[in-house]
Amino acid sequence: MRMRPVLAVASECAPLVKTGGLADVVGALPQAMAAQGWGIRTLIPGYPAVLAALSGARVVQEFPALLGQPARLLAARHGALDLLVLDAPALYARDGSPYLTPAGRDWPDNDLRFAALCRAGALIARDGIGKGKSRWRPEVVHLHDWQAALVPVYMRALGAGQPCILTIHNIAFHGLTAHTRLAALDLPEAEFTLDGFEYYGHISALKAGIAGARALSTVSPTYAQELTRPEFGMGLEGVIRARTSALHGILNGIDTGVWNPATDPAITPYTTPPGKAANKRALRTEFGLATRGAAARGPLCIVVARMSDQKGLDLLLDALPALTRRGGQLAMLGSGDRKLENAWLQAARDNPGAVGVRIGYDEGLAHRMFAGGDAVLVPSRFEPCGLTQLYGLRYGTLPVVARTGGLADTVIHANAAALAAGVATGITHRPDDAPALEFALAQLCALHDDRRLYTRLQRNAMKHPVGWEASAPRYAALYTRLADQPEPPR
Ligand code: ADP
Ligand code: GLC
């Protein structure tokens, strides 16, 4: 089958570089879209970890001065990924997180680092890769978050006419920089306007993408609606509202090959809820949690999350007694905000045998936690999609989630009607509300006391579709519409 060409542009791509769910989606979408006849090549920055992981990379283009920086473009395959890697040592040859200094602050030149990525994306869209008959040139350009959102501006300036789609994974991050940076970033002064990328006197990369991309998408239908409201739009709700006809809410999937309890090499594999028992024993030991008696009679809950205000982990601290007093336990893996890290380490000291905390990033441990847990807690204040509740469903680890964004779209609350109909898969509660979370934890403990009922819910959860089978055709329909229809007048 001839693949129709798409260029994706992103700052992260699993398994090469990941700080959150963005990387998983950017890493999984190409394989899902290949089955729909769309061949995605993914442009990412050449961070040291990316360059180290490449084998057989070829130089396909030189950029002597990309926004003033010497750079070259490498092409390589990595598993199912067809990568284009922007090798620009002055911008990306830095250790640690893609965005932060070792002291945990944004790199001061992040605007330039990701503007250069966008500039390269626009040049690839215009000129393609290779020569003659074998030249590859995208029909559609798919941008992810603010780091890729300046592409439409550069494409216009360079005369590249393909349609762009911008996927908003999290509107909390705008990519703001001072307007004095216009020249350094080679951005047109004429578009520094209310209708362009000006935002309260600053340059907003995300706004440039929202205004300039032909189509917008976000990662769940509920978040698509929430984005138009001030509580969630983070100051861009008006700009989004002006483009609602172009906005699509398409739910994320997960890589069901990597997240498969029947074959997961990190765990004792299982196909039914009772098969979780060995993993649960191992997890308790690993986190130093009680294994018998009243202290272990409740559900073993897990959390795997970035420790940021978004995730509501401060609310969970307040609600914790509602779990521990009923013999429930909590194993937490995360890192981020220092204050939250310390508060959780203190909670572990205050609740020996009931609460265990690991600060850090550990993919293998995350797998062991989903296999061993009875429930995964996701008390987010907002959550564009969320992936950990999807892993929870797949592993029979019942999600207890705030009713917001993709969490609301993926978990069926165990109310009386859903229980009677046999379709419940978890528990939902009002977001940003510690008493509501306490109530949800109490309900979890009550459900868990009824072993047969709990196992039935776990079976429901494990049957819930969480892959890309529903969403890949929706992206494909969008790509097709964009590629085949001329731009409608705005
Ligand atoms: P977000 O992108 O907002 O962080 P998601 O739920 O979409 O939230 O994705 C988070 C991803 O990062 C999941 O794959 C989750 O398992 C992973 N993750 C987050 N923190 C850790 C950690 N400390 N160790 C291992 N994996 C983590
Ligand atoms: C963002 C969101 C998260 C979403 C992920 C992938 O990081 O916070 O909810 O699942 O992107 O789209």
Side-chain angles (χ1 to χ4, degrees), residues 18-25 169-170 252 259 304-308 310-311 333-335 358-366 370 378 383-389 391:
K18 164 169 167 176
T19 70
L22 165 69
D24 292 283
V25 174
H169 294 263
N170 195 334
N252 286 337
W259 292 96
V304 179
R306 286 186 291 118
M307 287 184 163
S308 79
Q310 172 186 344
K311 301 295 174 179
L333 168 62
S335 63
R358 291 280 179 288
I359 302 299
Y361 189 94
D362 188 334
E363 213 48 67
L365 178 56
F370 283 99
V378 196
E383 196 60 77
C385 180
L387 300 179
T388 62
Q389 84 281 11
Y391 306 151

Side-chain angles (χ1 to χ4, degrees), residues 89-150:
L91 299 175
Y92 309 127
R94 304 173 192 182
D95 288 335
S97 150
Y99 316 114
L100 305 178
T101 65
R105 292 202 192 85
D106 284 333
W107 287 107
D109 59 347
N110 272 351
D111 56 358
L112 180 66
R113 297 173 76 219
F114 297 107
L117 181 75
C118 293
R119 183 82 180 183
L123 285 164
I124 296 166
R126 188 189 66 182
D127 302 335
I129 306 258
K131 292 212 163 47
K133 274 207 165 139
S134 63
R135 185 166 80 129
W136 180 93
R137 197 162 167 270
E139 289 186 56
V140 174
V141 182
H142 192 160
L143 315 171
H144 296 273
D145 272 355
W146 74 264
Q147 294 89 349
L150 287 174

